[in-house]
Amino acid sequence: PALHPRSVSALLFGPPGTSKTTIVKAVADALHWPVVMLSPGNFIEHGLEYIEAQASEVFQDLLELSRAVVIFDECDELFRNRAPLTQTEQTRGITAFVTASMLPKLQELHDRGNVLFFICTNSFDSMDPAVKRGGRIDHVIGVGPPDLGCRKVIIRQVLDELGKDPAWKKPDFLEKALIELARQTGRFTRSEIQRAVRNLARRASWATVNQAKIAACDEAKRLKAGLTISAEEFNHFVKTSKQVSQAITEGVRHAR
């Protein structure tokens, strides 16, 4: 039977490195459904002149699926805004053609309702309004970097992993340093938090709690210059997410 109509699709947007694809795979694992991962290569492997035929073939295969999770990953170019941008006329023409070709196919996949599909993108602004509107996309979800609670969980996981190594000697006051690190890593991705924890864990013991906290602050400050998510990008994400992000729980519960 077809899924509940509000359970069919979601657009996950957010800065790079925020685990959007990982979240979708977790949904598939919870449902015990297979994952079908699609990237631009699946549509342009024979060249742009054959993209319509290739897309038709891909979507025909998708329409034959049932109880699967489909991920359109890094497929921004397939659904890019058709409005004039600071590009050449030729590039805009190609963009408009590709997006226009995808829209009815995406609509049919949605209306068939036999799979869950997710579009994951780093740039919500670049997506064509016709892709984002209700009827094709049922839920719009902003996925940001880990919040304080999640950062604490990530830190604890790394610490547990390190504790399994008999050669590792835990520095004195490391726990206090890591509490401070959780506070200081608000724009860090999972991998960047993990790296910061390991760097602190390799340090010699501190003489005082204050020294441990200072070391955590210094470590976070040292890494901030090269973070995946810039301050400008993060602030724009927060603003956009407040405007358009929707809860997904109501729709997903119907999918089982």
Side-chain angles (χ1 to χ4, degrees):
L3 300 174
H4 187 283
R6 296 189 66 189
S7 308
V8 173
S9 62
L11 170 64
L12 271 56
F13 72 93
T18 53
S19 303
K20 294 180 289 294
T21 305
T22 302
I23 290 172
V24 179
K25 289 180 178 178
V27 172
D29 287 344
L31 294 170
H32 303 292
W33 290 3
V35 174
V36 178
M37 180 80 71
L38 296 171
S39 68
N42 296 104
F43 298 91
I44 62 173
E45 62 178 332
H46 299 305
L48 287 175
E49 62 270 30
Y50 297 105
I51 192 168
E52 169 65 26
Q54 185 66 21
S56 296
E57 183 177 328
V58 169
F59 273 91
Q60 186 56 49
D61 290 341
L62 295 179
L63 290 171
E64 294 176 2
L65 295 176
S66 180
R67 297 193 174 275
V69 174
V70 178
I71 308 175
F72 293 92
D73 199 28
E74 305 290 343
C75 289
D76 301 44
E77 293 301 326
L78 303 179
F79 308 115
R80 188 167 290 279
N81 197 326
R82 292 168 290 175
L85 303 172
T86 57
Q87 301 170 312
T88 66
E89 288 293 337
Q90 181 181 7
T91 303
R92 290 206 301 269
I94 293 173
T95 297
F97 168 75
V98 172
T99 302
S101 172
M102 292 296 164
L103 290 175
K105 298 176 177 61
L106 203 64
Q107 187 70 60
E108 186 175 4
L109 184 64
H110 175 278
D111 294 346
R112 188 70 62 92
N114 289 331
V115 301
L116 294 179
F117 71 85
F118 294 80
I119 298 176
C120 299
T121 179
N122 296 335
S123 177
F124 180 83
D125 296 341
S126 72
M127 303 292 286
D128 194 88
V131 176
K132 296 183 285 190
R133 75 184 183 201
R136 288 194 177 98
I137 297 299
D138 302 316
H139 306 279
V140 178
I141 313 296
V143 182
D147 62 16
L148 179 59
C150 289
R151 294 197 296 273
K152 290 179 178 179
V153 171
I154 294 168
I155 289 170
R156 175 53 56 186
Q157 289 173 339
V158 176
L159 199 57
D160 290 345
E161 179 186 324
L162 290 169
K164 296 176 182 178
D165 182 0
W168 177 62
K169 179 173 171 41
K170 183 178 179 180
D172 293 341
F173 304 116
L174 177 61
E175 295 277 2
K176 299 296 184 181
L178 295 180
I179 290 172
E180 186 62 32
L181 184 71
R183 297 193 186 104
Q184 299 293 330
T185 48
R187 195 162 34 92
F188 286 49
T189 63
R190 171 182 289 272
S191 62
E192 289 162 345
I193 295 168
Q194 292 170 333
R195 187 185 318 145
V197 174
R198 293 188 180 103
N199 288 344
L200 284 176
R202 287 196 292 265
R203 300 280 291 273
S205 296
W206 296 282
T208 66
V209 170
N210 192 51
Q211 287 181 3
K213 290 182 177 180
I214 291 173
C217 292
D218 289 344
E219 179 64 23
K221 184 177 179 180
R222 185 182 70 82
L223 292 176
K224 274 185 179 177
L227 291 183
T228 302
I229 305 170
S230 68
E232 180 181 6
E233 190 174 23
F234 175 71
N235 290 334
H236 180 70
F237 162 76
V238 171
K239 181 180 178 181
T240 304
S241 185
K242 288 179 179 178
Q243 293 172 343
V244 304
S245 194
Q246 304 165 0
I248 195 172
T249 51
E250 181 181 354
V252 168
R253 71 165 182 247
H254 294 292
R256 285 189 174 274

